[in-house]
Amino acid sequence: RGAIISALALLKAKEGEEVFAAALGDFKRGGEYFEAAIRAARLLGELELKARVPELIKTLELCLATPRPDRNTWLERTLIQSLTRLNDRRAVPVLIRVLARAPEVQDFYLNKMAARALGALGDIAAAHALVSTLGTGRHGLLLFEDSRRALCLLGLATADELLKAANARDHRGLPGESASRALTVLGDLGLRQPVEGLLNKQPERATDTYLLALGEAALRLGLRQGVDLLQAVLDRPGAPLTSRGDAARLLGLYGKAGDLGERLMPACGDTNGPGAAVLCWRLSLAHARLAKDKDKDKDKDNQAGELLDRVAAARQDEVTKKYLKRYRTRLTVPAKCADEGKCLEKHLAAPDWRVRDRAAPDLGRLGQAGAALKLAARYTGEHDQVKQAILVGLERADLTETEAGALLKALPQPSRSLLARTAGAREGEMKESPGLSSRLLCLRARLERMGKKTKKTETK
């Protein structure tokens, strides 16, 4: 049978579907039968034999019930891939079971594949399961990105489940990891009202992780309360240095120029102890991003650079001095451009990526016509930190529906499903680091929803 299936595979013969279905049923016999079942499962997807979806689902259920002692999961992987390719929502229940299984009892890659598949199938019935995995323990960060993308593809209908997760508390009465990560996805979806409600009734007891996530979501959505929240974390004497450093990083990335730059650097000079150097780097970076725009009466930008130089001279470690010297190049942008869009566009092409990193969010915040398209045109092939700054600028841009459609065409297409990961990227898709890929995909999903809304309005 293995040889027959190999020949049918070479011929791409749909007439072999009964043979393929029979081969699936023999996978437990092992050896060549197991290999033939994998080949058959792949062919049922590639040949788009949708009538055989029930056999694929049944085989996957059997695999879950009786996993192989050697933990070989190639058949399960191929089954999930084919079910996704066939785009049949009858597969959703079994994929939810795969997603929900503990990583300790199965190959963790199956959890990731199931999350991607559920996003690609687009059934809102998977929302609860996907939200439940946002804070998965040991491998949470790895699974978080896959569930995050899937929820962005499912869209605004996931808001209720995300809000429940954001309001959930553990046995100590504290918001857990799932609550913090649900806030990230609410920001991805552009859901301003739920985040605003959470800001207005913050829990009496909250972890720094939760406060940082809430502050970042607020700033991504243009809510100024996020600045106050992150400022409180930064200024709290008892806060861990890592939390204060993260607050500084976010304020530097999302804050408005001139808000905080002048008062961040003294904290860098006064900070000592474990982790102090990292906090100083982040405070200095925030300062370099927030240095006040060019002032006609006072040479503020020279003062900003001199402040960096003084702190660098006071530090004992050479690494911090090196970083502060490099951060200084970002001050080129406010010194020359102020709020001039054409000047900022020119600096998007600067040889130093640190200058581009400062120019990108400033240009996005201006909200000028065509600025978003210029940012999108710079995305491919950029330094990862500049890509992040570009996405910040694009998320904050005030777009019309027409501009959103043009921006959607200009942005690169990240992988939307597991197929590009396991079978090679399709034309027009790009490989991306997990966090950036998630943000890019979520932004594209928001733009697509704007386009669909426009088409409905035109139809009416």
Side-chain angles (χ1 to χ4, degrees):
R1 180 177 289 162
I4 292 171
I5 289 177
S6 295
L8 291 170
L10 291 171
L11 294 169
K12 301 290 185 184
K14 290 187 177 182
E15 294 83 355
E17 67 173 292
E18 290 188 13
V19 178
F20 305 149
L24 288 178
D26 277 348
F27 78 92
K28 286 187 178 181
R29 297 175 68 177
E32 292 184 8
Y33 291 96
F34 182 72
E35 298 297 330
I38 295 173
R39 210 171 280 125
R42 185 179 68 251
L43 285 168
L44 288 172
E46 289 179 353
L47 299 175
E48 299 182 353
L49 298 171
K50 203 163 184 174
R52 297 297 174 175
V53 165
E55 283 95 331
L56 291 168
I57 293 173
K58 181 180 178 181
T59 305
L60 182 54
E61 289 172 338
L62 290 171
C63 290
L64 296 176
T66 55
R68 288 172 59 95
D70 61 1
R71 294 181 68 86
N72 183 330
T73 58
W74 279 108
L75 179 55
E76 290 95 318
R77 295 184 185 198
T78 309
L79 289 164
I80 294 172
Q81 185 175 351
S82 288
L83 287 168
T84 308
R85 192 183 295 275
L86 292 170
N87 195 30
D88 194 311
R89 293 189 178 185
R90 286 177 290 178
V92 168
V94 70
L95 290 171
I96 288 176
R97 289 201 292 277
V98 175
L99 176 67
R101 283 166 67 90
E104 290 78 12
V105 300
Q106 75 173 11
D107 176 3
F108 183 62
Y109 192 64
L110 296 181
N111 299 72
K112 294 168 68 66
M113 292 186 75
R116 297 176 201 165
L118 289 167
L121 293 177
D123 193 329
I124 193 60
H128 176 75
L130 288 165
V131 171
S132 299
T133 62
L134 290 175
T136 298
R138 289 163 46 197
H139 303 285
L141 183 60
L142 296 173
L143 187 54
F144 164 67
E145 295 297 350
D146 296 290
S147 297
R148 176 186 183 183
R149 294 186 202 108
L151 288 164
C152 282
L153 292 174
L154 293 183
L156 302 180
T158 63
D160 289 343
E161 290 291 343
L162 288 166
L163 194 54
K164 287 178 187 176
N167 282 308
R169 302 292 177 262
D170 61 17
H171 65 283
R172 300 168 297 171
L174 296 172
E177 196 69 33
S178 293
S180 302
R181 290 176 175 168
L183 289 169
T184 299
V185 184
L186 286 170
D188 290 329
L189 293 170
L191 292 169
R192 185 185 178 102
Q193 188 173 351
V195 173
E196 197 166 14
L198 291 166
L199 282 167
N200 292 333
K201 56 173 186 177
Q202 294 175 37
E204 293 182 5
R205 301 171 61 206
T207 62
D208 285 342
T209 302
Y210 178 86
L211 293 175
L212 289 167
L214 180 56
E216 182 175 13
L219 289 178
R220 290 177 68 186
L221 298 170
L223 297 168
R224 290 288 297 169
Q225 298 99 305
V227 172
D228 299 330
L229 183 59
L230 292 173
Q231 186 67 60
V233 174
L234 180 62
D235 291 342
R236 194 170 74 242
L241 291 177
T242 52
S243 298
R244 297 177 68 197
D246 285 337
R249 174 181 59 83
L250 292 170
L251 287 167
L253 191 58
Y254 293 97
K256 185 177 179 182
D259 276 358
L260 300 162
E262 295 300 320
R263 55 184 305 275
L264 286 174
M265 288 305 294
C268 175
D270 297 339
T271 303
N272 295 298
V278 176
L279 173 59
C280 186
W281 301 342
R282 291 183 174 176
L283 287 166
S284 305
L285 176 59
H287 173 70
R289 282 174 167 162
L290 292 172
K292 192 174 180 181
D293 296 338
K294 191 172 183 180
D295 194 312
K296 293 181 180 179
D297 300 322
K298 297 180 181 179
D299 196 0
K300 286 283 186 182
D301 302 298
N302 281 341
Q303 290 182 11
E306 288 170 4
L307 185 54
L308 274 174
D309 294 340
R310 287 201 302 273
V311 174
R315 301 295 300 185
Q316 297 299 314
D317 57 300
E318 293 301 320
V319 176
T320 298
K321 291 182 180 181
K322 178 186 72 175
Y323 276 126
L324 267 62
K325 183 179 179 181
R326 291 178 177 176
Y327 292 156
R328 207 181 195 285
T329 59
R330 288 178 171 84
L331 299 176
T332 302
V333 176
K336 293 185 177 180
C337 293
D339 284 334
E340 298 173 13
K342 290 184 178 179
C343 179
L344 290 170
E345 290 172 16
K346 180 181 177 182
H347 279 83
L348 280 179
D352 190 335
W353 67 264
R354 298 169 188 84
V355 175
R356 304 196 299 272
D357 174 58
R358 171 68 196 256
D362 284 359
L363 183 60
R365 279 191 283 264
L366 288 181
Q368 295 178 350
L373 287 175
K374 290 181 174 64
L375 285 171
R378 295 292 311 178
Y379 190 88
T380 303
E382 256 295 1
H383 188 285
D384 274 5
Q385 198 159 323
V386 183
K387 286 182 178 181
Q388 183 189 38
I390 288 173
L391 290 176
V392 168
L394 292 177
E395 286 177 346
R396 297 288 298 277
D398 186 15
L399 301 171
T400 65
E401 285 82 358
T402 303
E403 289 171 336
L407 180 58
L408 187 61
K409 293 178 182 177
L411 282 170
Q413 172 67 62
S415 168
R416 294 177 69 93
S417 74
L418 62 98
L419 300 178
R421 298 278 181 150
T422 57
R426 295 181 294 236
E427 184 179 357
E429 291 184 334
M430 59 176 292
K431 290 184 178 180
E432 194 69 83
S433 62
L436 287 171
S437 177
S438 297
R439 289 188 66 163
L440 178 58
L441 185 145
C442 291
L443 177 61
R444 287 186 60 90
R446 285 171 63 182
L447 295 172
E448 286 173 0
R449 285 194 293 274
M450 287 181 70
K452 289 177 182 177
K453 184 178 178 181
T454 304
K455 288 181 180 178
K456 286 182 180 179
T457 303
E458 289 173 353
T459 304
K460 287 180 180 179

